[in-house]
């Protein structure tokens, strides 16, 4: 009898191991590159404005945006009476023909609690992404206590953002599934999936990327570096395999702004390289506007000033324009979307409103965007 | 399968809560001698209260605990079921798990969590997504568990079955095998064992 049990157990175990071992894994990823932008030598475009929201909203932060199938822009952010309060929800607005509709709430802690069947006290840092099939995927950070004890959740919209549903918790760490947050925009993969840049913020801070398939299902996560205090990576694909990542620096002074490179589509990342910029522990975004021409939206010295900087190599940057600058105030957490030659930028304005800046390549040219020589560090 | 995936986390924390309450109350002098049938009914009652009775903002204890603890591993669920059965049947044999097993679990989860916090440069948790390499470690551990406590080896086998059928929301094999609650149980058991050894040595 004992021999029979022994045989049965080990035979079953080996069969199960063979089943797991022979499972097919996803194919090697490749970045999907956006259409090359053309330099428009016509009208110069530079417009600014605020996304309208109800007067009772006193706090608005961390915008994200994407473009819908009809060309409208969709923006989301978290807002309420103050950061971390239970009344804070994810708010949304659409921009149609250049006009933003008044913002309305779309996702609340109660909605996520009910759909994920777990208690959630607060929400924040939304990130939206549209897959090729037209489905919108919204990633929301939720927490019961502080942001260091937060979790990541995913919701879908099948009607261009009118409703959000199918909320589910992403299990990303073995320690009570805590301390993973998102901030920066996903990057597309050729198989229809995407990478979502995230970061772990607890005893040590480090960045990761999460891979999703074309249906928005979570596949796996890749740690970009174990270097402490770099987070909120902004990833810029250069070709099918190569990409740069730029990081917020939460460490001690001098808070260098680092660049990191991958040559195999994010599976492995090289060592951190110092750029000529510093980062005052604030979020930044980078886009390749033209081949070999990068645009960064960031806080150069502190959050009182938010600026545009450009580079040819991702290491040497030159500031070309100040978007906002006011002592004692905060302009931060930018989001960027580039389509054709139009660049739309959103950022948190004094943590009270979301400001929209719309510009084009012709305007960037007038600010020296195409200059070939920058001061080396 | 979606029904299982959606409900298993809540069911798991409900079972855990029921075990903690039952394990405490059934050892009190006035309650410890009640019949198994009454114990079973009492456990069912706790399960219903924890799972369905709202206590805060129309949420039950299970909802709140799920938000705090996350998903329990399949190993934890089976262990808690065994312990609960032990409490109902007043049979402590089901509690007997070799301290070597607890030591192994304690070390594995400690290393896993240290890695997740970034204190160890290797991301051990990521091996659970495409677990070809992790399977070798799993088989080695199963040999140890088979020698130390066959019940635990069966738990880990069933955890692998759960992984194949994707009964938890996570696609990571580690989340089926181990979790912080299991680590806490192992820590408590090791402390109790250590204290017992100290007391025995003191009185010898």
């Amino acid at each position: 009898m004992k021999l029979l049990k022994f045989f049965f157990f080990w035979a079953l175990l080996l069969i199960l191991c063979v089943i797991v071992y022979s499972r097919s894994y996803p194919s090697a990823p490749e970045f999907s590159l956006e259409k090359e932008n053309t330099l428009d030598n016509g009208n110069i475009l530079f417009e600014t404005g605020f996304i309208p929201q109800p007067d009772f909203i006193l706090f608005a932060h961390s915008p994200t945006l994407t473009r819908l199938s009809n060309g409208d822009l969709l923006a989301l952010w978290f807002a309420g009476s103050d950061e971390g309060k239970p009344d804070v929800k994810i708010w949304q607005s659409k921009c149609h023909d250049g006009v933003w509709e008044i913002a309305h709430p779309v996702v609340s802690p109660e909605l996520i609690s009910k759909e994920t069947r777990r208690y959630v006290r607060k929400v924040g840092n939304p990130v939206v992404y549209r897959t090729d099939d037209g489905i919108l995927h919204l990633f929301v950070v939720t927490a019961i206590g502080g942001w260091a004890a937060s979790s990541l959740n995913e919701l879908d919209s099948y009607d261009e953002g009118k409703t959000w549903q199918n909320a589910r918790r992403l299990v990303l760490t073995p320690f009570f599934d805590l301390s993973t947050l998102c901030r920066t925009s996903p990057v597309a993969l050729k198989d229809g999936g995407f990478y979502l840049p995230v970061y772990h913020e607890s005893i040590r801070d480090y960045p990761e990327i999460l891979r999703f398939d074309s249906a928005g299902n979570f596949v796996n996560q890749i740690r970009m570096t174990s270097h402490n205090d770099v987070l909120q990576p902004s990833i810029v694909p250069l070709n099918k395999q190569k990409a740069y990542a730029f990081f917020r620096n939460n460490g001690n002074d001098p808070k260098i702004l680092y660049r990191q490179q991958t040559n195999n589509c994010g599976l492995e990342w090289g060592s951190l390289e110092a750029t000529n910029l510093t980062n005052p522990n604030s979020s930044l975004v980078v886009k390749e506007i033209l081949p070999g021409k990068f645009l960064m939206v960031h806080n150069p010295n502190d959050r009182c000033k938010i600026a545009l900087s450009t580079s040819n190599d991702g290491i040497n940057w030159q500031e070309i324009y100040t978007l906002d600058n006011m002592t004692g105030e905060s302009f931060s957490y930018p989001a960027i979307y580039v389509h054709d030659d139009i660049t739309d930028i959103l950022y948190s304005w004094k943590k009270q409103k979301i400001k929209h800046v719309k510009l084009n390549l012709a305007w960037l040219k007038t600010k020296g965007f195409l200059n070939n020589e920058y001061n080396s560090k | 399968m979606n029904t299982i995936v959606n409900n298993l986390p809540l069911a798991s924390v409900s079972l855990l809560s029921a075990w903690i309450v039952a394990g405490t109350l059934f050892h009190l002098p006035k309650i410890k001698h009640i019949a198994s049938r009454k114990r079973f009914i009492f456990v069912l009652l706790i399960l219903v209260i924890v799972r369905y009775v709202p206590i805060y903002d129309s949420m039950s204890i299970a909802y709140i605990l799920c938000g705090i603890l996350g998903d329990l591993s399949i190993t934890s669920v089976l262990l808690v079921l065994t312990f609960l059965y032990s409490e109902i049947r007043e049979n402590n044999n089901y509690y007997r798990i070799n301290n070597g097993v607890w030591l192994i679990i304690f070390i594995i989860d400690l290393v896993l969590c240290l890695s997740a916090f970034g204190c160890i440069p290797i991301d051990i948790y990521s091996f659970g997504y495409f677990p070809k390499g992790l399977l070798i470690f799993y088989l080695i551990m199963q040999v140890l568990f088979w020698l130390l406590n066959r019940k635990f080896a069966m738990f880990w086998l069933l955890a692998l079955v759960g992984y194949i059928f994707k009964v938890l929301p996570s696609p990571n094999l580690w989340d089926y095998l181990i979790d912080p609650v299991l680590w806490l149980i192992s820590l408590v058991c090791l402390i109790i064992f250590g204290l017992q050894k100290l007391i025995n040595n003191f009185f010898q």
Side-chain angles (χ1 to χ4, degrees):
Chain A
M1 190 62 181
K2 273 189 181 176
L3 200 61
L4 198 63
K5 280 185 187 174
F6 175 88
F7 176 76
F8 176 77
F9 177 84
W10 286 101
L12 182 59
L13 188 64
L14 287 170
I15 290 169
L16 293 174
C17 287
V18 166
I19 292 171
V20 172
Y21 191 87
S22 56
R23 266 186 177 170
S24 62
Y25 290 163
S27 55
E30 286 183 344
F31 288 117
S32 170
L33 297 172
E34 288 156 4
K35 205 172 60 172
E36 279 187 17
N37 297 317
T38 53
L39 182 60
D40 183 1
N41 286 316
N43 295 329
I44 292 171
L45 172 65
F46 185 85
E47 296 172 354
T48 65
F50 293 97
I51 299 179
Q53 58 188 23
D55 292 336
F56 60 79
I57 298 293
L58 304 175
F59 165 84
H61 198 45
S62 192
T64 178
L65 79 159
T66 190
R67 191 181 172 93
L68 301 176
S69 53
N70 61 358
D72 289 353
L73 284 177
L74 180 73
L76 296 103
W77 61 96
F78 72 110
S81 56
D82 199 358
E83 184 170 3
K85 294 291 183 190
D87 68 336
V88 169
K89 297 182 177 71
I90 306 298
W91 289 68
Q92 176 177 295
S93 176
K94 276 186 201 171
C95 182
H96 179 70
D97 286 339
V99 177
W100 288 97
E101 64 182 19
I102 186 154
H104 60 279
V106 290
V107 173
S108 64
E110 292 75 25
L111 171 73
I112 296 184
S113 281
K114 187 181 164 193
E115 292 217 353
T116 61
R117 299 172 185 229
R118 299 161 204 272
Y119 174 53
V120 162
R121 195 174 72 84
K122 61 186 188 183
V123 295
N125 281 29
V127 171
V128 68
Y129 182 73
R130 185 169 171 273
T131 41
D132 293 339
D133 54 7
I135 297 173
L136 294 169
H137 301 276
L138 177 65
F139 299 92
V140 176
V141 174
T142 59
I144 298 175
W147 292 121
S150 50
S151 301
L152 203 55
N153 298 263
E154 182 182 357
L155 301 95
D156 303 323
S157 176
Y158 304 96
D159 52 13
E160 301 282 85
K162 288 195 187 75
T163 57
W164 293 94
Q165 53 193 278
N166 195 22
R168 51 209 182 273
R169 172 78 63 94
L170 298 177
V171 182
L172 300 168
T173 74
F175 187 76
F176 299 117
D177 190 32
L178 295 178
S179 305
T180 304
L181 300 92
C182 58
R183 165 76 269 273
T184 45
S185 299
V187 290
L189 298 175
K190 208 168 166 202
D191 62 2
F194 56 94
Y195 278 143
L196 173 70
V198 298
Y199 58 105
H200 187 88
E201 188 176 21
S202 61
I203 297 174
R204 290 172 66 86
D205 306 335
Y206 58 83
E208 290 182 320
I209 47 174
L210 308 183
R211 184 176 177 184
F212 290 83
D213 64 18
S214 56
N217 298 316
F218 172 56
V219 175
N220 72 309
Q221 64 195 100
I222 300 165
R223 189 179 296 185
M224 297 171 75
T225 176
S226 292
H227 184 104
N228 194 16
D229 292 331
V230 289
L231 48 151
Q232 296 182 354
S234 178
I235 298 176
V236 186
L238 304 175
N239 57 40
K240 287 181 190 173
Q241 296 296 326
K242 189 176 169 185
Y244 290 150
F246 300 87
F247 301 93
R248 168 177 170 173
N249 191 329
N250 192 22
N252 297 322
D253 291 330
K255 291 187 173 53
I256 297 167
L257 198 158
Y258 289 108
R259 184 193 83 173
Q260 194 182 28
Q261 183 173 318
T262 178
N263 293 317
N264 58 2
C265 197
L267 295 177
E268 289 162 332
W269 292 82
S271 52
L272 298 177
E273 300 165 273
T275 67
N276 66 334
L277 295 176
T278 56
N279 173 267
N281 191 16
S282 63
S283 181
L284 59 108
V285 287
V286 180
K287 275 285 184 183
E288 190 183 31
I289 302 293
L290 287 174
K293 297 288 180 191
F294 303 98
L295 180 72
M296 181 188 295
V297 188
H298 68 125
N299 301 111
N301 301 307
D302 53 44
R303 294 190 187 192
C304 299
K305 175 182 173 182
I306 188 166
L308 301 178
S309 294
T310 64
S311 172
N312 295 339
D313 58 6
I315 293 289
N316 299 298
W317 293 83
Q318 183 164 4
E319 190 178 315
I320 61 170
Y321 187 76
T322 300
L323 292 172
D324 258 303
N325 186 6
M326 210 180 294
T327 307
E329 297 292 352
S330 170
F331 310 104
S332 60
Y333 274 56
I336 191 170
Y337 193 90
V338 179
H339 186 265
D340 293 330
D341 71 331
I342 303 290
T343 298
D344 289 284
I345 298 167
L346 298 181
Y347 59 90
S348 173
W349 189 87
K350 298 183 183 180
K351 283 194 177 179
Q352 294 170 5
K353 298 181 186 182
I354 303 301
K355 189 166 181 181
H356 176 215
V357 176
K358 186 171 185 167
L359 51 94
N360 68 353
L361 281 171
W363 180 86
L364 282 171
K365 186 185 171 188
T366 67
K367 300 300 168 192
F369 181 64
L370 295 182
N371 287 352
N372 289 326
E373 292 175 13
Y374 297 121
N375 294 329
S376 299
K377 62 181 170 98
Chain B
M1 192 54 65
N2 273 341
T3 310
I4 298 174
V5 174
N6 290 336
N7 287 292
L8 189 54
L10 278 173
S12 308
V13 294
S14 303
L15 285 168
L16 179 68
S17 309
W19 169 59
I20 291 171
V21 171
T24 309
L25 291 180
F26 290 164
H27 291 270
L28 293 175
K30 287 191 177 173
I31 301 176
K32 73 196 278 190
H33 296 300
I34 64 170
S36 291
R37 194 177 169 185
K38 286 185 181 173
R39 287 176 175 230
F40 178 68
I41 293 168
F42 183 76
V43 165
L44 274 182
L45 197 62
I46 300 171
L47 279 171
V48 167
I49 291 170
V50 165
R51 173 65 181 87
Y52 294 106
V53 173
I55 59 154
Y56 174 74
D57 206 10
S58 70
M59 279 180 285
S60 65
I61 296 173
Y63 264 78
I64 295 168
L65 280 178
C66 239
I68 298 169
L69 298 177
D71 300 337
L72 295 187
S73 63
I74 300 297
T75 311
S76 285
V77 172
L78 294 170
L79 196 69
V80 165
L81 271 170
T82 311
F83 288 167
L84 209 48
Y85 183 76
S86 174
E87 291 297 334
I88 293 169
R89 302 290 292 180
E90 286 184 88
N91 186 346
N92 285 339
N93 281 336
Y94 292 99
Y95 267 115
R96 291 209 182 108
I97 291 185
N98 191 297
N99 286 309
V101 169
W102 294 129
L103 187 63
I104 291 170
I105 293 296
F106 178 81
I107 293 170
I108 291 174
D109 209 23
L110 181 67
V111 171
L112 198 58
C113 286
L114 287 174
S115 169
F117 284 130
C119 302
I120 298 172
I122 303 167
D123 186 5
I124 298 171
Y125 184 67
S126 68
F127 296 153
Y129 288 111
F130 308 125
K132 283 186 175 176
L134 183 58
L135 281 177
I136 298 169
F137 174 81
Y138 172 84
L139 282 169
I140 295 169
M141 289 299 110
Q142 280 290 53
V143 170
L144 286 174
F145 290 148
W146 179 262
L147 294 170
L148 291 169
N149 189 293
R150 286 175 195 180
K151 187 165 57 194
F152 206 88
M154 185 57 74
F155 291 164
W156 261 36
L157 182 140
L158 290 171
L160 194 62
V161 172
Y163 173 74
I164 290 168
F165 286 101
K166 298 179 186 173
V167 297
L168 291 178
S170 171
N172 193 309
L173 177 56
W174 280 119
D175 293 319
Y176 289 77
L177 298 175
I178 209 162
D179 62 66
V181 168
L182 195 60
W183 182 82
L184 284 169
I185 294 173
S186 70
L187 178 65
V188 168
C189 290
L190 288 171
I191 289 173
I192 292 171
F193 170 70
L195 284 173
Q196 279 174 342
K197 274 265 182 186
L198 268 171
I199 291 167
N200 287 342
N201 286 341
F202 182 77
F203 283 107
Q204 273 176 358

